[in-house]
Amino acid sequence: MTEYGRGGGSEPWHPADPLYGDQGWTASQTQQGQVPYGGDPQQQYAPEPQYSQEPQHQQQYAEQQYAQQQQQQYAQQQYAQQHQQYQEYPAQYPQFVEQQQGYAPPQQPTYDGQGWDTAGQMQGHGQGQAPYLVADVQTDPYAGTDPYAQQAVGAYPADAPDLYTTEDAYPPPTPPGLRHLETEAEPEAEADEAAEEDSEESALAAGGRGSGDDDGPGGGRRAGRSGRSKGGKGKQRSGAACLIAALVIVGVVGGGGYYGYSYLKARFGAAEDYAGSGSEETVDVQIPGGAGLGQMGRILKEAGVVASAQAFVDAANATGKGKTIQPGVYPLKKRMSAAAAVALMLDPSKLHVLIVPEGTRNTAVYEMIDKKLQKPAGTTRDIAQREAKNLGLPAWAGKDPKLKDPLEGFLFPARYDLGKDVTPESLLKQMVQRASGKYAELGIEAKAKELGLENPLQVVTVASLVNAEGKNHDDFRKMSEVVYNRLKKTNDVTNQKLQFDSTYNYVKNQSEINFNLKQAQAFDDPYNTHFVKGLPPGPIGNPGADALTATLDPDRGGWMFFVSVDGDKTTFTKTYEEHQKLADEFQERQAQKKNGG
């Protein structure tokens, strides 16, 4: 079928059609048995007057006419090519043309004395590109006939009958105004067809009648539908859907109930807890500084010590001493009850830390490290002597060959947490690093000269002396004043000897108050200030922050002597006579204690 040769006028539907008068449907959109290349010429309709359009149809009409013009322009281009072949046909095959009945070369028809452009355009809508070649027929052979009736078949051999009018014809095109209805009906029709096929299959599977049985109106189709309603795929699908929905509902209800129960238990129930003192497995748990009970509980739970953080918090609050738990490393058992964990952490002796008191000598520190790290006695001391230069001492330390221990005064007194990976060497490095940092913070290198000392190491030495002899910060300041006054060259009372008992005890590695003074004065050792003038080669212990700050800021009271009569309070004097009087009183008390008085 082709669009070529159609007239340009509109062709209305039958008056009984609801869309009668709809100008969106034109005669050029259906074929009427046209024979463009021979045979009976096709009568062209004269352009008919346009039907009046209702206001609501104006926009639809314009869109349809624009689409029709685009189709007509394309048809004209195709026709121009075929028209050239058509004109050449009689010249190439003259004998065949003469044999055709009533064949005459088509001519351009006229309309009102002028050439009629039959390219298919409507009045006032576009210009044709090539005229149609049809015979000039004065009458309308289609008048009064059915537009879909069979038209005469042309004599041209290549012509074919109009398939719209044969027994196996395709249905005529649907008018544009009804196409949206047809489009909407297609899915419903397909759905009905699929349902009928399913029903027929269900009926056959159940031993029922097929579509060929006619038990009444509707026959097999009714039987198929009946079979489906009794139990087919639809019912199976419905059952599966119900089952899935039920499972979803049960899951939602069950999950909500579980979480609701968990919330109520956590909110109002007792916290989860273990029983007893724990298993045989021990873990080191480090509690950081500033941690609250809640954070401690979470740390213990992650380490497997307690069952829940809340149980630990409750147990700590129950004792009334929970806030006194110190930070540090605790050796705890796994799976302990919260109460047992709290009790252990409230015992300072159980804390897995090393606390170095102010003024402690290095020999005592080495023993403490061996004990805490469970090392053989002497392990840390040997490492200190062997690795002293590799532990991070400042450049101004460890120069004097008379030093008994280069690390003396550099194992800063503080608290050190002992993790599972700590070693004696790593712990010594940590102590030296802290001491060096503190000395740099105080600026002892610059202040040494202000105090009349030779180097920063002597500042640390003075601080170690006052820390060993004094009791408090006020004592430290007055004692540092005593040291500086005795070191003066104008000192003719002690002849620049410090005469500190602590230095003799350091040499002897003891801490005795009652010793033979004459023996001490005769004992030759660089560290014995009863024998030598001036300061010892190095510190005699590890001074704390109070002793250091007091050394840098002495009391300036002109003190030259001091003595502690009762062993608790220290008395300072400026003259030797005052000092000797206090010294005699001290000796009497010591004799009374010795005799049991």
Side-chain angles (χ1 to χ4, degrees):
M1 302 294 291
T2 179
E3 300 264 359
Y4 306 148
R6 295 185 180 176
S10 61
E11 181 179 2
W13 292 93
H14 192 275
D17 196 312
L19 296 180
Y20 178 76
D22 185 358
Q23 296 306 312
W25 174 252
T26 61
S28 63
Q29 291 173 300
T30 182
Q31 280 201 340
Q32 302 296 334
Q34 300 161 359
V35 186
Y37 298 122
D40 294 338
Q42 180 178 356
Q43 174 64 36
Q44 301 296 326
Y45 285 98
E48 297 183 5
Q50 298 295 322
Y51 291 96
S52 62
Q53 300 293 324
E54 296 295 333
Q56 62 269 25
H57 294 165
Q58 291 298 329
Q59 182 176 359
Q60 180 180 3
Y61 172 78
E63 293 175 354
Q64 294 174 350
Q65 292 303 319
Y66 176 78
Q68 180 179 352
Q69 291 175 12
Q70 297 298 322
Q71 295 178 357
Q72 289 173 354
Q73 291 178 5
Y74 175 79
Q76 291 168 5
Q77 294 176 2
Q78 296 294 325
Y79 179 77
Q81 297 177 2
Q82 297 182 5
H83 174 63
Q84 182 178 0
Q85 297 178 358
Y86 184 77
Q87 288 178 331
E88 295 175 356
Y89 182 84
Q92 295 178 0
Y93 304 98
Q95 297 178 354
F96 179 77
V97 172
E98 293 177 358
Q99 296 175 2
Q100 301 302 316
Q101 295 180 1
Y103 173 80
Q107 298 178 358
Q108 174 69 24
T110 60
Y111 182 73
D112 293 337
Q114 299 180 355
W116 183 21
D117 184 1
T118 59
Q121 68 268 24
M122 300 287 292
Q123 291 181 2
H125 295 283
Q127 299 297 328
Q129 299 297 326
Y132 284 77
L133 298 179
V134 295
D136 185 9
V137 181
Q138 300 298 328
T139 61
D140 184 1
Y142 298 102
T145 63
D146 186 356
Y148 292 104
Q150 176 65 39
Q151 302 298 319
V153 179
Y156 187 66
D159 195 10
D162 184 4
L163 297 181
Y164 282 116
T165 58
T166 62
E167 181 179 358
D168 297 331
Y170 293 100
T174 303
L178 295 179
R179 288 178 184 174
H180 69 282
L181 299 176
E182 180 179 320
T183 304
E184 295 176 355
E186 286 179 358
E188 297 179 0
E190 293 177 357
D192 292 342
E193 183 178 355
E196 292 174 358
E197 291 178 358
D198 290 343
S199 65
E200 292 177 2
E201 293 177 0
S202 300
L204 291 174
R209 291 183 177 88
S211 60
D213 296 335
D214 188 8
D215 293 340
R221 297 201 176 192
R222 292 181 180 269
R225 294 179 184 270
S226 176
R228 180 177 180 180
S229 64
K230 291 181 179 180
K233 294 183 179 180
K235 186 173 182 180
Q236 295 176 359
R237 293 172 182 169
S238 300
C242 293
L243 178 60
I244 294 173
L247 292 176
V248 171
I249 294 173
V250 171
V252 171
V253 174
Y258 171 76
Y259 286 110
Y261 170 76
S262 300
Y263 171 78
L264 293 176
K265 182 179 179 182
R267 184 68 177 83
F268 302 104
E272 185 178 0
D273 196 4
Y274 295 130
S277 59
S279 64
E280 296 297 327
E281 185 178 359
T282 302
V283 292
D284 291 335
V285 180
Q286 183 171 4
I287 302 299
L293 293 178
Q295 184 179 356
M296 292 182 187
R298 290 189 292 272
I299 294 174
L300 294 177
K301 183 180 184 303
E302 292 176 359
V305 175
V306 297
S308 65
Q310 188 60 47
F312 176 82
V313 173
D314 294 343
N317 289 331
T319 63
K321 300 179 180 180
K323 294 183 179 180
T324 64
I325 297 177
Q326 298 297 312
V329 179
Y330 293 88
L332 300 170
K333 301 290 185 180
K334 282 194 171 183
R335 303 180 68 84
M336 299 178 69
S337 67
V342 170
L344 187 146
M345 296 174 71
L346 287 174
D347 184 357
S349 64
K350 303 297 183 181
L351 188 62
H352 199 26
V353 298
L354 177 64
I355 299 177
V356 179
E358 295 181 356
T360 306
R361 301 171 188 166
N362 278 9
T363 54
V365 176
Y366 298 150
E367 292 175 359
M368 294 166 59
I369 294 176
D370 288 342
K371 185 177 180 180
K372 280 291 184 179
L373 299 184
Q374 300 180 353
K375 301 294 181 180
T379 300
T380 305
R381 181 195 60 203
D382 294 342
I383 294 175
Q385 292 177 353
R386 185 175 63 250
E387 302 293 335
K389 296 181 179 180
N390 301 322
L391 297 177
L393 289 172
W396 46 264
K399 300 295 185 179
D400 195 333
K402 296 179 181 180
L403 290 172
K404 293 185 179 297
D405 187 349
L407 296 182
E408 194 75 71
F410 291 91
L411 303 182
F412 193 76
R415 170 178 169 162
Y416 299 90
D417 295 330
L418 305 178
K420 61 180 180 179
D421 296 329
V422 70
T423 63
E425 184 176 0
S426 66
L427 189 55
L428 291 174
K429 286 183 177 179
Q430 186 178 354
M431 293 178 174
V432 172
Q433 181 181 7
R434 183 172 292 189
S436 300
K438 187 63 176 181
Y439 299 155
E441 176 186 342
L442 295 174
I444 63 175
E445 291 188 61
K447 292 184 178 181
K449 294 182 179 180
E450 296 178 7
L451 297 170
L453 302 175
E454 297 178 1
N455 51 58
L457 183 60
Q458 287 189 343
V459 176
V460 180
T461 303
V462 173
S464 69
L465 291 174
V466 301
N467 207 150
E469 296 284 352
K471 301 293 183 180
N472 50 55
H473 187 70
D474 184 60
D475 285 355
F476 297 156
R477 293 189 68 207
K478 291 180 179 179
M479 284 181 182
S480 62
E481 173 71 3
V482 170
V483 172
Y484 296 137
N485 287 333
R486 289 189 182 186
L487 290 176
K488 291 179 180 180
K489 295 180 180 181
T490 59
N491 174 21
D492 56 0
V493 179
T494 64
N495 297 320
Q496 298 179 358
K497 289 183 179 180
L498 296 181
Q499 297 178 342
F500 276 27
D501 293 349
S502 57
T503 59
Y504 178 73
N505 284 331
Y506 180 78
V507 173
K508 292 295 185 176
N509 194 24
Q510 63 184 18
S511 296
E512 296 292 338
I513 297 177
N514 297 316
F515 57 84
N516 192 313
L517 183 57
K518 292 183 178 180
Q519 290 180 352
Q521 292 173 347
F523 186 76
D524 186 1
D525 188 277
Y527 278 83
N528 182 15
T529 59
H530 282 288
F531 182 81
V532 299
K533 294 180 179 182
L535 292 170
I540 62 172
N542 295 282
D546 281 349
L548 287 166
T549 55
T551 300
L552 298 176
D553 184 23
D555 182 272
R556 305 301 180 183
W559 311 112
M560 286 291 292
F561 303 93
F562 64 91
V563 64
S564 177
V565 177
D566 56 4
D568 184 27
K569 182 180 179 180
T570 304
T571 304
F572 294 85
T573 62
K574 298 179 182 180
T575 64
Y576 177 75
E577 289 76 16
E578 292 175 334
H579 170 69
Q580 190 61 44
K581 183 179 179 180
L582 294 174
D584 292 342
E585 184 180 346
F586 172 75
Q587 292 297 332
E588 289 178 3
R589 288 194 178 187
Q590 293 298 320
Q592 291 177 358
K593 288 182 179 180
K594 185 176 181 181
N595 296 329

